[in-house]
């Protein structure tokens, strides 16, 4: 039977699909050493943790790395392609889930939910209610979205048509922006928006995109929501701006270091909402991502190319390794 290796457990529906197609094994831990040891000989790897480049070296059976989700930063593209290994992903399926998270944490920041809830529980009714003096409406504000892929567009639809926000955006493809979005440069966006939402992929161009200089350009009281990747933001500059009250707050789901150490400054700031990289994870989205990844794996095992092939330049090399 074909050996299918997953870095993490999958939704039961996805596991059932894969067990019917081959020998599904789940890593006992997601660290590089364990993945290399336990994944040796796999034909397919389902990716929910960073894969070391060595995984693709001297791996004659390995056909494909299939990302459980959209972002490809967990797969070393050059190493996989050099090894003749297909890269596939499951785009768009968790975009509505991430967009709901963006709206949830935005409202929580504006309405002072974190300190209100804490003080209500610890100090009583009046102490909790006092935070309403600083609460703000979402309606009437300007949201700036950096990265208008599937997630950015999903955020746009809820923000624009659910809450009536004015939307400005920055994208690598300005011509693809939907109607109702105004394109701005990143510098102009951060100085215009009341809410800055990072939805861009992590690339050399986006690493450090929200720099010290750009954080300084943000409006007093503005809030930042990051559902992109941690390295997009200059952490030290953001922490300083939050500590000084230079901006209103931040909701952060991703970090340069994950898991985030408990002593990290974000945890002690009232104007920060920290979540453990779960913006795109719900029961429903796990089913969609898992079954989507399983369907691609099965398609590949049957000798076909994945629907969402992300390194098409590898096909000739791949076909030499695995003739149809």
């Amino acid at each position: 039977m074909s050996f299918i290796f997953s870095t993490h457990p999958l939704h039961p529906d996805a596991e059932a699909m894969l067990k019917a197609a081959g020998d599904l094994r789940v890593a006992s831990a997601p660290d590089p050493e364990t993945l290399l040891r336990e994944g040796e000989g796999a034909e397919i790897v389902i990716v929910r943790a960073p894969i070391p480049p060595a995984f693709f070296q001297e791996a004659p059976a390995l056909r494909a790395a299939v990302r459980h989700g959209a972002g490809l930063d967990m797969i070393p593209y050059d190493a996989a392609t050099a090894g003749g290994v297909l890269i596939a992903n499951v785009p768009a399926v968790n975009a509505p889930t991430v967009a709901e998270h963006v709206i949830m944490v935005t409202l929580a920041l504006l309405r002072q939910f974190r300190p209100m809830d804490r003080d209500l529980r610890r100090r009583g009714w009046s102490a909790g209610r006092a935070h309403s003096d600083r609460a703000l409406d979402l309606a009437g504000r300007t949201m700036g979205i950096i990265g208008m892929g599937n997630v950015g567009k999903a955020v746009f639809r809820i923000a624009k048509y659910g809450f009536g926000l004015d939307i400005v955006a920055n994208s690598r493809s300005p011509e693809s922006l939907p109607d109702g979005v105004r394109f701005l440069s990143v510098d102009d966006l951060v100085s215009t928006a009341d809410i800055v939402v990072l939805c861009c992929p992590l690339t050399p161009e986006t690493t450090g995109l929200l720099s010290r200089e750009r954080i300084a350009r943000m409006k007093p009281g503005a809030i930042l929501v990051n559902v992109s990747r941690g390295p997009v933001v200059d952490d030290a500059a953001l922490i300083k701006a939050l500590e000084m009250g230079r901006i209103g707050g931040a909701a952060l789901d991703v970090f340069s270091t994950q898991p985030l150490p408990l002593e990290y400054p974000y945890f002690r700031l009232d104007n920060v909402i920290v979540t453990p990289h779960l913006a795109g994870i719900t029961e429903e989205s796990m089913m969609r991502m898992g079954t989507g990844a399983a369907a691609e794996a099965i398609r590949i095992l049957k000798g076909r190319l994945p629907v969402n092939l992300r390194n098409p330049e590898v096909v000739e090399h791949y076909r030499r390794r695995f003739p149809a």
Side-chain angles (χ1 to χ4, degrees):
M1 296 180 72
S2 297
F3 171 20
I4 304 164
F5 183 61
S6 179
T7 64
H8 286 73
L10 305 171
H11 189 276
D13 290 357
E15 291 198 356
M17 291 171 64
L18 293 170
K19 287 176 180 177
D23 175 19
L24 174 64
R25 305 179 207 172
V26 178
S28 60
D31 61 275
E33 293 77 15
T34 301
L35 297 180
L36 287 170
R37 183 178 65 254
E38 297 182 0
E40 185 177 359
E43 293 183 48
I44 304 285
V45 56
I46 307 294
V47 179
R48 289 186 62 198
I51 303 295
F55 197 93
F56 301 93
Q57 298 167 5
E58 299 181 7
L62 188 60
R63 290 174 173 265
V66 181
R67 177 71 171 97
H68 182 279
L72 297 177
D73 54 294
M74 291 183 178
I75 301 173
Y77 189 100
D78 291 343
T81 302
V85 177
L86 305 173
I87 297 173
N89 67 346
V90 188
V93 294
N94 70 344
T97 305
V98 178
E100 288 183 9
H101 177 93
V102 168
I103 299 301
M104 174 186 75
V105 294
T106 298
L107 285 167
L109 284 170
L110 291 174
R111 292 296 184 94
Q112 304 294 314
F113 181 83
R114 186 171 175 270
M116 177 276 295
D117 181 72
R118 181 201 60 212
D119 286 349
L120 174 62
R121 293 171 186 271
R122 293 180 180 176
R123 299 169 52 206
W125 184 271
S126 296
R129 189 175 170 85
H131 290 285
S132 63
D133 294 341
R134 296 188 296 116
L136 299 169
D137 285 342
L138 177 57
R141 299 190 182 279
T142 297
M143 176 177 282
I145 302 173
I146 299 178
M148 284 295 283
N150 293 307
V151 170
K153 288 184 173 69
V155 173
F156 156 74
R157 287 190 292 269
I158 297 176
K160 178 71 174 179
Y161 301 113
F163 291 89
L165 299 185
D166 183 31
I167 307 296
V168 296
N170 181 271
S171 171
R172 291 176 296 182
S173 305
E175 68 282 356
S176 69
L177 295 181
D179 292 340
V181 178
R182 183 160 49 99
F183 178 84
L184 290 179
S185 69
V186 174
D187 286 343
D188 287 342
L189 183 148
V190 297
S191 62
T192 299
D194 301 298
I195 304 140
V196 175
V197 183
L198 301 176
C199 302
C200 52
L202 179 62
T203 67
E205 292 73 29
T206 62
T207 299
L209 182 76
L210 202 68
S211 61
R212 182 180 304 274
E213 293 75 20
R214 284 175 171 151
I215 292 170
R217 293 175 68 97
M218 291 176 67
K219 296 167 69 172
I223 64 175
L224 171 70
V225 180
N226 188 9
V227 291
S228 171
R229 289 293 186 267
V232 173
V233 177
D234 182 330
D235 262 340
L238 178 59
I239 289 166
K240 184 175 181 181
L242 291 164
E243 288 176 335
M244 295 175 62
R246 169 68 184 75
I247 62 174
L252 308 169
D253 187 53
V254 286
F255 308 91
S256 296
T257 300
Q258 294 187 183
L260 190 66
L262 288 176
E263 65 274 12
Y264 212 79
Y266 289 135
F267 285 111
R268 59 177 168 75
L269 295 172
D270 266 353
N271 54 350
V272 177
I273 293 174
V274 174
T275 51
H277 202 163
L278 52 61
I281 300 178
T282 60
E283 168 73 18
E284 294 87 353
S285 72
M286 285 294 288
M287 184 274 292
R288 295 191 298 267
M289 288 187 287
T291 57
E296 290 284 51
I298 293 167
R299 187 175 290 110
I300 293 161
L301 291 174
K302 289 181 177 179
R304 302 198 295 270
L305 294 176
V307 172
N308 297 297
L309 177 63
R310 295 307 176 207
N311 59 339
E313 69 274 24
V314 82
V315 170
E316 183 178 348
H317 185 183
Y318 173 78
R319 288 301 190 198
R320 290 197 302 270
R321 297 179 66 227
F322 301 101

